[in-house]
Amino acid sequence: MILLLSGSLRAGSSNEAVLRTAYAVAPDAQVDAVLYDGLAGLPHFNPDDDTDPLPTAVAGLRAAIERAAGILICTPEYAGTLPGSFKNLLDWTVGGTEICDKPVAWINAAAPGRGGGADATLRTVLGYTGAAIVEPACRKIPVERGMLGPDGLLADADVRRRLGEVLGLLAASGGGEVGRAQDGR
C-alpha cells in the first residue's frame, strides 16, 4: 500500500488534487493507495510528548506509515521551504522508526522554476528520518488550475499516466503492489 501525504491544508489545493488523482489511477497501476487526511489534526511537535502513549493523532500517523509499503508526498512551497504544518508532520516521524528505510518519493506540482526549496527541505528532513528516497519516482509535474476537471481531478491523460508510473515505481521498490485502492478514512 502506498500512503499519499499532502502538505497542504488549503481547500482546492493543486497538491491535494495531484494525490486524489493518484488515488484514482492507483487501480489501473495495480497499486493499493490510501489518502492520509489527518494533517490538520496533528498537535504541534513537542519532544516532551514524543513518548508512550503518543497523542492519538500522532499514533494514527505512525500506524499509517508503518502499514505503508511506500509514501508519496505532494506539498506546496511556502516562503522557500515546506509549509509549517507539513514540517510538523515530518517532525513527528523523527522519533519513531516507522519511516526508516521506507521508500518515499514526491511530486512537485509547482509552476516551472518554483518548488525547489520544498524539494531540498524534503530531501534534508527525509534524510534525518532514514527514509529511502526513490529518485526515479520523484517527479516535477506542474499543475495549473485549468487542468482540473469538474470532479477536482487532473484530467490530462499524460499526467495521469505519469502518476501511475510513480505509484508503480514506489510499489515495486517497497513490494506494495496489489490490485485495488482503498479509502484511507
Side-chain angles (χ1 to χ4, degrees):
M1 177 266 294
I2 303 300
L3 182 64
L4 307 173
L5 295 177
S6 174
S8 181
L9 293 172
R10 189 174 59 80
S13 160
S14 57
N15 296 280
E16 185 76 21
V18 166
L19 292 180
R20 284 193 324 269
T21 305
Y23 177 80
V25 303
D28 292 337
Q30 298 186 344
V31 173
D32 183 9
V34 172
L35 286 162
Y36 176 76
D37 63 359
L39 179 63
L42 291 171
H44 295 290
F45 177 72
N46 179 343
D48 292 339
D49 296 334
D50 196 4
T51 60
D52 287 328
L54 288 168
T56 303
V58 175
L61 168 66
R62 287 189 180 174
I65 292 170
E66 180 68 31
R67 286 189 303 271
I71 299 170
L72 179 60
I73 297 167
C74 192
T75 184
E77 176 180 280
Y78 291 151
T81 191
L82 298 173
S85 56
F86 193 68
K87 175 63 167 66
N88 183 60
L89 178 149
L90 293 174
D91 287 345
W92 278 113
T93 69
V94 173
T97 59
E98 299 83 5
I99 201 169
C100 192
D101 296 323
K102 187 83 56 175
V104 177
W106 57 84
I107 301 294
N108 181 324
R114 311 265 327 225
D119 289 354
T121 305
L122 269 173
R123 186 174 302 284
T124 298
V125 175
L126 291 171
Y128 280 101
T129 68
I133 297 172
V134 181
E135 295 292 344
C138 294
R139 303 275 176 95
K140 178 122 175 107
I141 304 176
V143 174
E144 300 172 13
R145 291 274 169 226
M147 296 174 72
L148 298 178
D151 58 359
L153 300 179
L154 296 164
D156 184 271
D158 184 56
V159 168
R160 294 172 74 91
R161 178 191 57 75
R162 291 173 68 194
L163 290 172
E165 287 175 1
V166 167
L167 290 169
L169 287 166
L170 273 171
S173 67
E177 196 169 333
V178 295
R180 64 177 185 79
Q182 299 175 356
D183 190 353
R185 290 174 232 165

